[in-house]
Amino acid sequence: MTKPKISSDWMAGCSGCHMSLLDIDERLLEIAELADIRATPITDLKEPDESGVDVGILEGGINNSSNEEVAHRMRERSKILVAFGDCAVFGGVPALRNMCGTQEALQRAYVDIESNDESGKIPNDPELAVMSNVRALHEVVDVDLHVPGCPPDPDVIYYVLKELAQGRMPEMKDENLHWH
Amino acid sequence: MINLTINGKQIEVEDGTTVLNAARQNDIKIPTLCDHKNLTPYGGCRLCVVEVKGMRVPIASCTLPASNGMVIETETDSLKKSRNIILSLLFSERNHFCPFCQVSGGDCELQNAAYDEHMTHWQMQPQWTNFPVDTSHSRFILDNNRCILCRRCIRACAEMSGNFTLGVEERGSATIVVADTNVPLGESTCVSCGSCVQVCPTGALIDRSSAYLGHDKNMTVTRSVCRGCSLGCGIMIHTRDNRIVKITGDYENKNAGTLCETGRYKTLDEKRTRLTTPMKRVAGQLTATSWDDALTILASNLTSNKNSIAALASTRLTVESMAAFKSLFADGLGNDVVTSIEEGRPTALQAKYAEANGESIEGKLDTLRTADCVLVIGADLSETHEVASFYIKRNMPKGTRLIVVDPSENGMDDLANINLKPKAGTDEAVFDAIEAAVIKEGLARTDAKTSKVSLDVALSACGLAEEDVIAVAHMLAEAVAPVIVYGKGVSAFGGEAVMDAMVRVAKLTGASDSERRGILSVKGEANSLAAAQLKMDVPFDVKNRKVAYLAVGDDFVSKRLVKALDDIPYVIVQASYESALTERADLVLPVSIWAEEAGHALNTEGRVQFAEAALTGPEGVRSNLDLLNEVAKLLNVKLNDDWRTALTARTSVVEIEM
Amino acid sequence: MTQKITIEPVTRIEGHAKVTIHMKDDGSVEHAYLHINEFRGFEKFCEGRPYFEMPSITPRICGICPVSHHLAAAKAADALQGSPAPRPANLLRELMHMGQVIQSNGMHFFELSGPDLLLGFDADPALRNVIGLAHAAPEIALKAVGLRRFGQEIIRTLGGRRIHPNFAVAGGVNKALQASERESILTGIEANLETAKMGVSIMKDWAQRNMEDINKFAVLKSGYMSIVNPDNSLNLYDGDIRLVDRTGKQLEKFPGSDYLENIAEHVENWSYLKFPYYKKMGFPEGVYRVGPLGRMNAVDSISTPVAGEEHRIFKTLNNGDPIGQTLYFHYARMIEVIFCIERVVELLDDPDILSTDILNTRKDYKGEGVGILEAPRGTLIHHYQADETGKLTKVNLIVATGHNNWAMTEAVDSVAKTYIVGGEVKEGMLNRVEAAVRAHDPCLSCSTHAVGQMPIQIEMLDPDGQVVKTISRN
């Protein structure tokens, strides 16, 4: 039986969920034995396999056009899609931007801020993603499993990965469930 | 008794029990949010809904009286779905950011409710509209983004402090908690009691002083007694690494969790410099020295002057310390000026009265809490004994009437139904006038036919208007449970005659009778009554004394007291903080503060309570009691440590409960 | 007509970056750009929050170095409310910071850049990662995990969790160190010091064997910045900010509160990351580097014995000139880990380390405060202004990696031009372009206070815009 494939990516988050994943320490090797770890932000494969992966894990919410592409692509290519961490599940801290407005935030950072010089203007090169409002993952695509936490505890992540790697859906309750 | 079935279990409860409480009494857990054991049920959050056989929709169990034959289900699939949706709606209505909220991670009842329902996400996302964050108050912050409109804060403001500052404005999703007519909290009628913060189930109300200092699970909680005044409210001291993080009210004590700004917050405002080493005056300068040296000097000094000591102790000290102090300086060394920092002003009058008459004329605070008419005289309760004012204020919407007698401005003037502003120093005449009015109006509960003084004479003496006094007479005498509350204003300036007059009025109006004692005095500080019982209630007369010994502990000391020491050759002070007094002293001995020393407190209603120590004092500091014991040993005085007997040696104005 | 190669995303960095390489007709590189493609807006959306929440909000800027923000925010809050933290609190904050630098630098060296150094730039992309490293060099991998755990556990001991801890507050910290906890940290010193020394040694060996690359891979001239002690030795927690020029001569030494007089930010249309520079010299003349390479150049010495000696050796690499070779970031990074471990011992041996005098509750409210820190990736500046009720009115964050933006874009351009010649673009070349970014251990979430991600695909177009070759990484 081939090992299930797991791929991950990050969007409008802080990478803390992936760092918490690294905090499972040596248990990472155990997971690597159970599953084939494919594209992630810390491995050099650049996108989830076109042929599809068993588990797609996304950290971070959606706050620009590029995040949206990532979210759709991961959904298309994953049998099970996991919203990983509070940003993906709820919107998280970056969603504070919804309360002040995207343009207001851009204006403050690139034009008004005290340390800016006269070159201050909002970047709009076509190479750059276009900012949007901040959304939780389930507002953009269907999500199969939510793993909240800011970040989720390493023990929770280890439990979730181990279950998924063995073809089971983890039970998110008791010590495996926290939003903080 | 009511018989009903919950989840198939037959149970029996008292009449009037709600379905929620019926379940609780039988170990059946129903989730709640707006419910609070100390506040009247509200039924707003809908989380406690249950299925009632025969009823069309699920019903909130917190406001549903149990009735015979009811069949209740609390764990159906449909109810679980409901709870999920209810919580989701609560979350989506405002902007909840768990990551950085101070209570997130154990102390948020909303978050914990979500965990209990195994919620992993929100079914609906918020709209992300901005809700106001009110940062105008110096003690706490109201973040409306985190509010679930449970109204616990509003109920606490009404039912605990009786201040009625908080309410709601608007309707539907625009509903918002506001202060007064929607003014910033910092500019409102709020009295900073902190009851709202204590009961808030989310991070909507956040104490500035304890924010981010740790969660409940990081704290050590010690049950203790507030030393802010003589009411002796029960408190819970939350500490971490030997620091008080916050103080909350003890729900299991008689104050049922209610505190005032003094008890909850002002203790944490401490700005004085702590004393950590004994000091002696050498060539005009205070210099640090060792305990051995300090005690040697002390022993020698007190031994040579043992009959010429004027001794004063703070009433913030424990009963044990005060009793030891008395035993040492009065009984042991034979001095007659052994008194408390209050010098008997708030207590001597009634103490003598009780002794002379062999009668405890005062009642318990419960009498105040259940009074339907209160006359306050010689006391500004909202300034000095604020929780007592809460007990009155919170009952006023239920019909309790308030009469305030005060020649000057009183903090409760605006609330009073009747304000009497007599001439200063005429308390006896005021009571005489009321007595006369009661009899004149035929309202007397006893068979008294004549008053000591005629109404005209009494009115003329105190300068009050007849119609006002007549109105007071009616208000008191027609009440079912009237109470007279008096304070230092009466005790410090009155003579025995005013006590007589007060007691007559109490009897005539039904405040006091064979079953009830409707008179209370608030006295002074924490162990004010203990000082009275120990006869430490004389003026601090230092004339011709060679030594003054002042055990002030962590108390504040007036300029007048320091000035009184001008001509004393030698001043010994045991204190916790630097002050003008320690600057004046010739020998300074560092001692514990209130929270560092376990001991008993005797509150104004005669209840003896034990306060645990919550902190360890800094190195170099002794407890007040240990120090006094050591001094006694050095002077070969055997102390009487039976403080219980000492407290009941004289008849007390209020019965002492050990 | 120029062709364009796009590298999207740059992997094994924190955050979202994209590189576009514009080719000349002769197959050489015209110019390469580093586009940082993320933005969240902390500087705006924190307005209206009470200032004392910032030690809890700002760690969410970054999950690798949340402690940097946690501590800088607490320091800015100290200043804003006029409550200097008691000495024991500063010792404890510094202890947490050491834990952080150990874990972050260690993780970057072994787990993010390590695969390039230990498996090779040209290794199979499917294996060129931390798991591949674990299979190829299990002992090193285990020690690396141990080193990260050691740092993370210091953070968890003090703040309750490894990522986004709750410890530093305005006026101090909320927990004292217990004697048993101190003992526990001390037991990990020896082994992890060995691991750190092993890292330095691995890098020295690699440098010896790859001297040609060292001396042609993005060798840049710039100023250098670090926080320093009064004697100009390294201090990662507190001190004045020192800026030296490209010859190593001091240009400025100023307290954090004066940062606006010295640092300005330039905006380019093609990146969401701004470009800080030294105001008096203008942009781009006034650019400088921060982080391990910046610090090793900007400080005169390191006070602890082993790291101090390593630093002395490091300074001799260019015969007294500042070290401008980008790949030496890795070497500098591990020297810092040694310093931090030695500093942990100094802190734990300080007589005040177990003290409970850890919070100053007296306030002398100022309404404005600046908190600075040397984060793993460079000088971090938090600047808050609040109204008289404590509600934030203005927030400015200049975050570590941001100062290196110019350097990273220059490095990308330089490496592209050095290694992509003759029109043939091999995967390993592109990895080297990415390695130019990686060497700076950028924290792009931090620096843009935002995050985004993009896939990588490289298309080579002929002059007619037809695709002649597609290289993608999967």
Side-chain angles (χ1 to χ4, degrees):
Chain A
M1 197 176 95
T2 54
K3 295 201 284 192
K5 295 196 170 99
I6 299 183
S7 178
S8 79
D9 209 341
W10 54 32
M11 305 181 292
C14 75
S15 76
C17 295
H18 276 79
M19 290 304 109
S20 195
L21 193 157
L22 286 180
D23 278 338
I24 67 178
D25 300 328
E26 301 85 358
R27 294 176 290 180
L28 184 60
L29 299 172
E30 191 191 321
I31 301 294
E33 287 301 305
L34 290 170
D36 186 3
I37 298 181
R38 310 291 298 154
T40 72
I42 55 168
T43 59
D44 276 358
L45 301 178
K46 299 298 187 177
E47 58 183 68
D49 304 47
E50 263 188 71
S51 53
V53 297
D54 295 274
V55 178
I57 299 174
L58 285 177
E59 168 188 340
I62 289 95
N63 86 352
N64 65 37
S65 51
S66 143
N67 294 161
E68 227 159 323
E69 284 167 27
V70 167
H72 284 291
R73 185 182 63 195
M74 189 64 94
R75 172 70 278 183
E76 265 163 43
R77 300 185 185 181
S78 308
K79 292 207 189 86
I80 295 174
L81 181 63
V82 181
F84 185 36
D86 277 4
C87 292
V89 173
F90 303 112
V93 170
L96 279 165
R97 192 172 81 188
N98 288 343
M99 290 164 68
C100 69
T102 314
Q103 284 312 306
E104 287 79 351
L106 287 164
Q107 177 74 16
R108 167 75 184 150
Y110 296 102
V111 182
D112 295 340
I113 228 166
E114 296 71 41
S115 43
N116 285 351
D117 64 17
E118 333 68 49
S119 67
K121 64 185 182 304
I122 300 173
N124 63 0
D125 191 289
E127 293 291 351
L128 297 179
V130 176
M131 292 294 142
S132 69
N133 68 328
V134 183
R135 281 154 287 155
L137 186 58
H138 71 91
E139 294 186 77
V140 176
V141 294
D142 285 338
V143 173
D144 301 300
L145 176 69
H146 294 269
V147 180
C150 185
D153 195 81
D155 290 345
V156 172
I157 296 173
Y158 171 64
Y159 163 72
V160 167
L161 289 177
K162 200 159 174 198
E163 290 298 287
L164 290 171
Q166 295 173 85
R168 297 189 290 266
M169 282 301 262
E171 280 189 359
M172 304 308 300
K173 62 179 189 178
D174 303 327
E175 66 281 352
N176 289 324
L177 179 61
H178 65 85
W179 295 9
H180 65 272
Chain B
M1 298 301 283
I2 306 277
N3 290 286
L4 67 157
T5 310
I6 302 185
N7 296 347
K9 187 174 170 191
Q10 300 262 38
I11 63 179
E12 193 184 51
V13 296
E14 302 257 348
D15 279 28
T17 307
T18 61
V19 169
L20 175 63
N21 284 329
R24 282 179 175 152
Q25 286 164 23
N26 287 275
D27 291 319
I28 297 168
K29 185 169 184 272
I30 299 177
T32 61
L33 272 173
C34 71
D35 190 67
H36 189 283
K37 61 179 187 279
N38 269 72
L39 303 170
T40 52
Y42 176 60
C45 73
R46 316 310 291 177
L47 195 59
C48 70
V49 289
V50 295
E51 286 178 12
V52 185
K53 186 157 173 213
M55 289 202 181
R56 194 174 53 86
V57 293
I59 310 283
S61 54
C62 64
T63 41
L64 177 64
S67 61
N68 269 315
M70 248 183 183
V71 177
I72 309 278
E73 289 292 332
T74 71
E75 290 299 327
T76 63
D77 282 339
S78 162
L79 279 175
K80 288 186 189 146
K81 278 206 193 96
S82 294
R83 287 179 195 145
N84 218 291
I85 299 238
I86 288 161
L87 284 168
S88 213
L89 284 165
L90 284 173
F91 280 113
S92 69
E93 199 171 28
R94 295 288 170 99
N95 305 301
H96 294 269
F97 289 93
C98 293
F100 60 86
C101 178
Q102 294 82 346
V103 297
S104 178
D107 295 352
C108 176
E109 294 183 47
L110 178 63
Q111 194 182 70
N112 290 340
Y115 294 168
D116 286 344
E117 299 305 317
H118 303 157
M119 278 180 75
T120 60
H121 63 288
W122 299 330
Q123 292 194 37
M124 290 146 282
Q125 288 291 112
Q127 296 297 298
W128 305 115
T129 36
N130 262 306
F131 284 88
V133 180
D134 187 335
T135 51
S136 62
H137 197 285
S138 61
R139 297 289 188 193
F140 53 82
I141 296 193
L142 169 59
D143 184 351
N144 284 288
N145 292 291
R146 299 173 181 173
C147 176
I148 57 170
L149 295 172
C150 70
R151 272 87 162 174
R152 277 193 191 175
C153 55
I154 296 169
R155 287 178 282 152
C157 194
E159 297 168 26
M160 290 172 79
S161 66
N163 216 48
F164 301 94
T165 300
L166 295 174
V168 286
E169 205 176 63
E170 296 290 354
R171 293 193 284 182
S173 59
T175 310
I176 191 145
V177 172
V178 295
D180 299 330
T181 51
N182 196 355
V183 301
L185 270 164
E187 295 164 29
S188 71
T189 57
C190 170
V191 294
S192 309
C193 72
S195 305
C196 55
V197 185
Q198 183 172 297
V199 301
C200 179
T202 70
L205 282 161
I206 293 289
D207 259 338
R208 288 176 184 268
S209 52
S210 64
Y212 296 117
L213 294 187
H215 288 99
D216 283 351
K217 64 177 185 253
N218 305 122
M219 303 291 153
T220 305
V221 183
T222 307
R223 182 160 266 132
S224 185
V225 178
C226 178
R227 251 48 74 79
C229 76
S230 66
L231 293 179
C233 297
I235 56 176
M236 307 300 278
I237 306 178
H238 304 246
T239 57
R240 188 179 191 193
D241 289 330
N242 207 34
R243 162 186 310 280
I244 298 181
V245 173
K246 68 178 178 187
I247 293 175
T248 55
D250 182 359
Y251 288 109
E252 290 171 36
N253 202 318
K254 301 267 192 186
N255 57 309
T258 303
L259 295 180
C260 69
E261 186 184 12
T262 300
R264 187 189 301 279
Y265 292 123
K266 287 195 177 157
T267 317
L268 306 173
D269 284 348
E270 189 56 72
K271 300 229 175 349
R272 296 173 290 179
T273 308
R274 191 70 195 268
L275 294 163
T276 54
T277 171
M279 293 193 283
K280 64 180 178 185
R281 199 167 288 278
V282 172
Q285 288 279 79
L286 273 176
T287 43
T289 185
S290 68
W291 272 103
D292 280 343
D293 182 33
L295 289 172
T296 308
I297 296 171
L298 178 147
S300 135
N301 193 291
L302 289 181
T303 308
S304 346
N305 297 299
K306 62 155 76 144
N307 302 126
S308 187
I309 306 170
L312 178 149
S314 164
T315 43
R316 285 176 63 90
L317 264 48
T318 61
V319 170
E320 288 88 335
S321 295
M322 289 179 69
F325 189 87
K326 171 74 191 297
S327 177
L328 170 60
F329 289 104
D331 308 324
L333 300 177
N335 290 285
D336 55 349
V337 179
V338 179
T339 189
S340 87
I341 202 167
E342 295 171 357
E343 300 178 63
R345 284 190 302 274
T347 55
L349 174 65
Q350 58 265 51
K352 282 200 197 85
Y353 188 87
E355 204 164 38
N357 292 286
E359 201 190 336
S360 302
I361 57 162
E362 288 184 8
K364 304 287 168 179
L365 285 168
D366 249 359
T367 317
L368 179 61
R369 284 188 279 261
T370 54
D372 62 351
C373 181
V374 184
L375 182 145
V376 180
I377 179 167
D380 192 345
L381 296 178
S382 58
E383 284 294 314
T384 59
H385 297 80
E386 198 170 10
V387 172
S389 75
F390 294 168
Y391 294 153
I392 302 169
K393 284 158 50 173
R394 66 197 195 188
N395 285 334
M396 291 183 76
K398 295 184 212 162
T400 297
R401 311 298 200 97
L402 174 62
I403 302 155
V404 173
V405 184
D406 196 331
S408 18
E409 250 178 57
N410 188 295
M412 299 189 85
D413 277 342
D414 288 343
L415 287 166
N417 296 96
I418 303 179
N419 266 309
L420 295 183
K421 298 250 171 258
K423 292 188 213 156
T426 61
D427 294 333
E428 186 192 338
V430 171
F431 281 118
D432 287 341
I434 298 173
E435 180 196 11
V438 167
I439 291 175
K440 177 173 181 206
E441 296 291 297
L443 300 165
R445 302 292 189 96
T446 66
D447 50 18
K449 294 285 186 285
T450 49
S451 56
K452 178 159 174 260
V453 168
S454 80
L455 185 55
D456 289 331
V457 170
L459 287 174
S460 166
C462 62
L464 292 173
E466 181 173 338
E467 58 184 14
D468 290 338
V469 176
I470 300 277
V472 166
H474 277 274
M475 204 170 265
L476 275 174
E478 286 165 9
V480 172
V483 172
I484 297 170
V485 177
Y486 69 101
K488 193 161 87 175
V490 170
S491 313
F493 302 105
E496 204 185 320
V498 72
M499 293 303 297
D500 279 332
M502 190 192 305
V503 172
R504 289 197 308 275
V505 167
K507 290 197 173 128
L508 277 179
T509 56
S512 291
D513 58 31
S514 55
E515 282 161 14
R516 191 173 186 272
R517 293 170 193 164
I519 299 177
L520 267 87
S521 66
V522 287
K523 307 179 188 71
E525 289 184 52
N527 268 320
S528 193
L529 179 58
Q533 289 307 101
L534 294 168
K535 295 201 179 164
M536 291 167 69
D537 55 2
V538 298
F540 186 55
D541 182 1
V542 301
K543 235 181 4 237
N544 301 321
R545 298 294 193 274
K546 294 281 189 320
V547 184
Y549 192 109
L550 299 103
V552 295
D554 59 12
D555 209 341
F556 287 88
V557 173
S558 66
K559 290 197 189 88
R560 185 187 58 81
L561 180 57
V562 178
K563 186 101 183 61
L565 303 168
D566 271 355
D567 300 321
I568 300 243
Y570 202 80
V571 175
I572 303 171
V573 173
Q574 71 180 64
S576 311
Y577 296 105
E578 275 178 25
S579 67
L581 178 64
T582 60
E583 280 306 299
R584 163 68 184 88
D586 300 292
L587 191 67
V588 177
L589 307 163
V591 287
S592 311
I593 63 170
W594 67 281
E596 293 163 0
E597 187 166 348
H600 287 82
L602 176 64
N603 78 347
T604 193
E605 59 176 334
R607 267 195 317 133
V608 170
Q609 305 188 85
F610 181 64
E612 295 271 6
L615 298 173
T616 309
E619 233 185 277
V621 152
R622 307 254 164 126
S623 78
N624 286 284
L625 185 60
D626 283 349
L627 176 54
L628 290 168
N629 280 326
E630 217 171 320
V631 171
K633 219 165 70 181
L634 286 169
L635 299 175
N636 289 314
V637 170
K638 179 147 194 325
L639 293 180
N640 178 0
D641 59 7
D642 183 4
W643 52 268
R644 284 190 169 80
T645 307
L647 283 184
T648 46
R650 70 194 297 204
T651 309
S652 167
V653 71
V654 60
E655 251 173 46
I656 310 234
E657 294 167 62
M658 279 296 164
Chain C
M1 164 138 190
T2 50
Q3 308 156 0
K4 185 181 77 171
I5 303 175
T6 303
I7 304 177
E8 228 188 317
V10 176
T11 51
R12 285 185 284 126
I13 58 165
E14 193 292 324
H16 297 57
K18 163 182 175 174
V19 173
T20 54
I21 306 175
H22 296 256
M23 309 293 289
K24 292 203 270 234
D25 284 342
D26 66 3
S28 62
V29 173
E30 165 94 53
H31 197 84
Y33 292 91
L34 178 65
H35 308 273
I36 305 307
N37 208 2
E38 42 175 286
F39 168 72
R40 282 165 304 175
F42 278 79
E43 287 151 327
K44 183 65 187 173
F45 66 59
C46 287
E47 285 175 14
R49 298 309 308 171
Y51 71 93
F52 61 79
E53 288 190 340
M54 291 302 258
S56 195
I57 298 176
T58 58
R60 271 78 189 187
I61 291 174
C62 179
I64 299 190
C65 60
V67 172
S68 305
H69 293 288
H70 184 59
L71 298 178
K75 291 170 82 180
D78 292 345
L80 192 149
Q81 76 174 34
S83 309
R87 181 173 187 271
N90 278 321
L91 295 176
L92 288 169
R93 286 175 177 180
E94 191 181 350
L95 179 62
M96 184 182 253
H97 188 38
M98 294 301 98
Q100 179 197 215
V101 178
I102 291 167
Q103 73 79 7
S104 176
N105 281 15
M107 181 203 60
H108 182 266
F109 181 81
F110 287 107
E111 300 177 37
L112 296 184
S113 279
D116 288 332
L117 301 170
L118 294 161
L119 301 177
F121 288 112
D122 302 302
D124 177 3
L127 304 173
R128 197 175 55 211
N129 56 53
V130 57
I131 295 170
L133 190 64
H135 288 130
E139 265 191 40
I140 293 180
L142 276 175
K143 289 202 170 94
V145 168
L147 181 65
R148 177 178 153 82
R149 192 208 347 266
F150 175 67
Q152 291 286 64
E153 280 299 297
I154 291 175
I155 297 170
R156 196 191 57 78
T157 300
L158 296 171
R161 58 207 295 223
R162 292 183 175 192
I163 298 172
H164 306 325
N166 172 15
F167 181 59
V169 296
V173 298
N174 65 18
K175 180 188 132 55
L177 184 68
Q178 305 301 314
S180 58
E181 292 167 340
R182 174 185 171 275
E183 286 302 320
S184 182
I185 298 171
L186 282 171
T187 56
I189 296 287
E190 208 184 307
N192 288 291
L193 188 57
E194 285 314 302
T195 305
K197 285 183 192 167
M198 175 186 81
V200 171
S201 169
I202 287 175
M203 187 56 204
K204 276 181 183 162
D205 283 345
W206 190 91
Q208 293 278 37
R209 287 179 282 114
N210 294 277
M211 207 34 93
E212 198 199 322
D213 277 318
I214 292 266
N215 287 318
K216 74 179 188 184
F217 186 109
V219 181
L220 308 175
K221 287 207 183 303
S222 70
Y224 301 98
M225 176 183 278
S226 176
I227 291 175
V228 293
N229 286 318
D231 66 358
N232 294 324
S233 61
L234 178 68
N235 191 318
L236 293 173
Y237 176 68
D238 202 22
D240 284 341
I241 298 176
R242 187 188 200 210
L243 176 64
V244 303
D245 69 14
R246 55 187 62 189
T247 70
K249 191 173 67 93
Q250 177 171 306
L251 286 168
E252 297 283 352
K253 191 165 165 184
F254 55 93
S257 47
D258 288 348
Y259 82 97
L260 280 173
E261 285 164 35
N262 293 283
I263 300 172
E265 294 185 282
H266 176 84
V267 179
E268 287 288 354
N269 198 42
W270 40 265
S271 181
Y272 279 118
L273 181 54
K274 296 185 278 185
F275 294 80
Y277 62 94
Y278 176 45
K279 261 173 113 157
K280 290 177 191 162
M281 285 172 67
F283 183 84
E285 291 70 31
V287 295
Y288 53 85
R289 284 184 279 184
V290 297
L293 193 70
R295 291 190 282 255
M296 294 301 100
N297 281 314
V299 307
D300 286 347
S301 62
I302 292 183
S303 58
T304 58
V306 181
E309 180 55 24
E310 288 294 341
H311 176 250
R312 204 196 50 74
I313 296 171
F314 183 86
K315 286 273 238 205
T316 64
L317 289 170
N318 280 355
N319 297 313
D321 287 334
I323 314 304
Q325 295 93 319
T326 294
L327 287 172
Y328 275 142
F329 255 103
H330 299 301
Y331 184 174
R333 196 163 286 121
M334 287 316 290
I335 296 177
E336 290 192 332
V337 177
I338 296 177
F339 165 68
C340 288
I341 297 176
E342 292 181 288
R343 185 74 189 127
V344 166
V345 176
E346 281 181 0
L347 289 165
L348 291 177
D349 283 345
D350 191 296
D352 279 344
I353 201 65
L354 297 176
S355 167
T356 54
D357 177 21
I358 54 177
L359 185 65
N360 177 7
T361 54
R362 290 173 205 206
K363 299 190 183 74
D364 179 15
Y365 192 78
K366 305 269 188 273
E368 182 168 4
V370 175
I372 63 170
L373 196 77
E374 280 298 324
R377 294 155 185 85
T379 312
L380 172 61
I381 303 172
H382 279 217
H383 178 195
Y384 309 150
Q385 288 176 65
D387 68 18
E388 68 281 357
T389 70
K391 205 177 254 189
L392 286 168
T393 51
K394 283 212 182 100
V395 173
N396 190 9
L397 308 166
I398 301 190
V399 184
T401 295
H403 304 277
N404 279 343
N405 196 10
W406 171 87
M408 289 190 295
T409 32
E410 269 306 297
V412 153
D413 184 51
S414 166
V415 168
K417 284 173 176 155
T418 306
Y419 289 89
I420 300 177
V421 288
E424 239 233 285
V425 184
K426 300 207 197 75
E427 194 278 335
M429 292 174 182
L430 299 177
N431 189 30
R432 280 173 176 75
V433 171
E434 290 185 77
V437 180
R438 262 179 226 131
H440 298 81
D441 183 15
C443 195
L444 301 171
S445 296
C446 271
S447 45
T448 56
H449 336 319
V451 175
Q453 267 291 7
M454 284 180 293
I456 264 197
Q457 185 172 281
I458 295 128
E459 292 175 339
M460 286 201 58
L461 312 170
D462 70 14
D464 299 321
Q466 298 302 309
V467 175
V468 295
K469 196 168 186 178
T470 300
I471 304 177
S472 37
R473 303 200 196 196
N474 48 12

